[in-house]
Amino acid sequence: MLLPRIFAPVRAAAQVSSAYLIPSSRVLDVLRTANGFTTSSPTLSFLRHASHQSQGRANGAKDGPGKRLGAKKSGGEYVIPGNIIFRQRGTAWFPGENCKFGRDHCIFSMASGYVRYYRDPLKHPKRQYIGVAFEKDEALPYPQNGARRRRLNMLPVKMGGVEVETPEVQVVMGEVQVEGGAEVETSISAPQRNKSGTVLAMGKKGYAFRESNWAIGRAAETANVVVKEFVPGDRFTAWQKSKARIALNEEKKRLRMAGKKTAKPKKKTLRN
């Protein structure tokens, strides 16, 4: 709707005395004079006001919700394998002890423990690392030449020139026991025995101390089971055998179907 643009009706009324009555035919002339118009320009200016609010979002992101980046676990918080510790774009943080990268550069835990945010100048002078410590009072990074703890409470120990992982409760290193006034150095090379007292020798890879594992690993040997040696690479012979087997199965199926009586199809009758 177009409305006349009247700027100062109050000012016009102030200039006119209240005792003076203006005829109805002179009201427009008084308003024009008050607003700066003369009788030579009787046209009035009109202003178009918006009748509806313009469309569009005043607040909020234009590209949808945020990506929820940042720290998901704080320092010292307990995590389990698979927990995401930090989400990021790029490599502001790097995975440290018992952590790995995800495909979107997120860092997640590989073991149960407590989160640590730290730096390791010996590995890189400027990088920031996120790791998982097994104990609440442990600090990262670990000493450079110290024994590294692994999952399942294991420590790497050299035995006979081969590095194996042994339970921490069995490791006694650098201690000296006194027996009858003589110093005897302790070690972890004591033989392992089963319930019957039989000595169990360690396998090639440095494990299989348990009697159940020992029995399972030698079940075929004690039963004199002989397995035919597999000869790899003879694919042509395998293809011939497979082809002959398929042809034989098709022949058997054809003979079975020939022995069965098949029903004759009904004659089609034309409807009038």
Side-chain angles (χ1 to χ4, degrees):
M1 179 178 177
L2 297 178
L3 300 176
R5 188 176 182 180
I6 302 174
F7 292 98
V10 178
R11 187 175 58 187
Q15 294 177 356
V16 179
S17 175
S18 59
Y20 179 72
L21 298 177
I22 303 173
S24 59
S25 60
R26 298 292 304 278
V27 172
L28 290 178
D29 296 336
V30 173
L31 291 176
R32 291 193 190 99
T33 304
N35 291 285
F37 297 106
T38 60
T39 56
S40 60
S41 58
T43 58
L44 297 176
S45 63
F46 295 94
L47 182 64
R48 175 72 164 84
H49 295 279
S51 59
H52 197 279
Q53 183 180 2
S54 61
Q55 299 298 320
R57 298 185 61 185
N59 300 319
K62 300 297 182 183
D63 298 331
K67 302 303 180 183
R68 309 302 191 256
L69 305 179
K72 306 304 174 186
K73 301 290 182 181
S74 59
E77 193 169 350
Y78 186 80
V79 293
I80 61 175
N83 281 166
I84 295 176
I85 303 175
F86 202 94
R87 281 198 178 277
Q88 59 184 344
R89 290 294 176 266
T91 53
W93 293 88
F94 287 82
E97 295 288 338
N98 304 311
C99 287
K100 280 190 177 182
F101 261 142
R103 65 180 183 179
D104 59 347
H105 295 155
C106 71
I107 298 176
F108 64 94
S109 171
M110 292 292 294
S112 299
Y114 300 88
V115 178
R116 296 286 185 270
Y117 293 82
Y118 65 97
R119 290 180 181 270
D120 191 354
L122 297 177
K123 187 180 293 185
H124 198 280
K126 295 183 180 180
R127 287 184 177 179
Q128 307 174 105
Y129 293 93
I130 300 176
V132 173
F134 292 107
E135 298 295 338
K136 197 167 186 178
D137 55 350
E138 286 182 351
L140 295 179
Y142 290 125
Q144 186 178 9
N145 299 323
R148 294 298 180 94
R149 290 192 55 185
R150 311 288 175 84
R151 287 182 293 180
L152 303 177
N153 204 22
M154 306 290 279
L155 281 172
V157 180
K158 289 187 176 181
M159 298 181 60
V162 180
E163 184 173 332
V164 298
E165 291 187 357
T166 312
E168 187 179 3
V169 294
Q170 298 182 5
V171 177
V172 183
M173 301 179 63
E175 296 184 2
V176 177
Q177 294 180 355
V178 179
E179 296 181 0
E183 294 183 355
V184 180
E185 186 176 354
T186 59
S187 64
I188 59 174
S189 58
Q192 302 291 325
R193 300 177 181 273
N194 58 6
K195 297 179 181 179
S196 61
T198 306
V199 177
L200 302 179
M202 185 175 289
K204 293 181 180 179
K205 295 185 179 180
Y207 60 92
F209 274 130
R210 296 196 314 175
E211 186 177 4
S212 57
N213 293 346
W214 184 268
I216 293 172
R218 281 153 183 79
E221 182 181 348
T222 55
N224 297 325
V225 176
V226 179
V227 180
K228 185 179 179 181
E229 185 179 358
F230 174 70
V231 180
D234 194 2
R235 301 303 306 163
F236 181 74
T237 304
W239 172 73
Q240 285 184 328
K241 291 181 179 179
S242 177
K243 189 177 179 180
R245 184 169 60 253
I246 293 173
L248 181 61
N249 291 337
E250 290 180 352
E251 183 66 19
K252 289 181 179 179
K253 184 178 180 181
R254 188 180 63 81
L255 294 175
R256 286 199 305 269
M257 296 301 294
K260 295 182 180 179
K261 293 182 179 180
T262 57
K264 294 181 180 180
K266 296 181 179 180
K267 293 182 179 180
K268 294 183 179 179
T269 58
L270 295 177
R271 294 182 180 178
N272 296 330

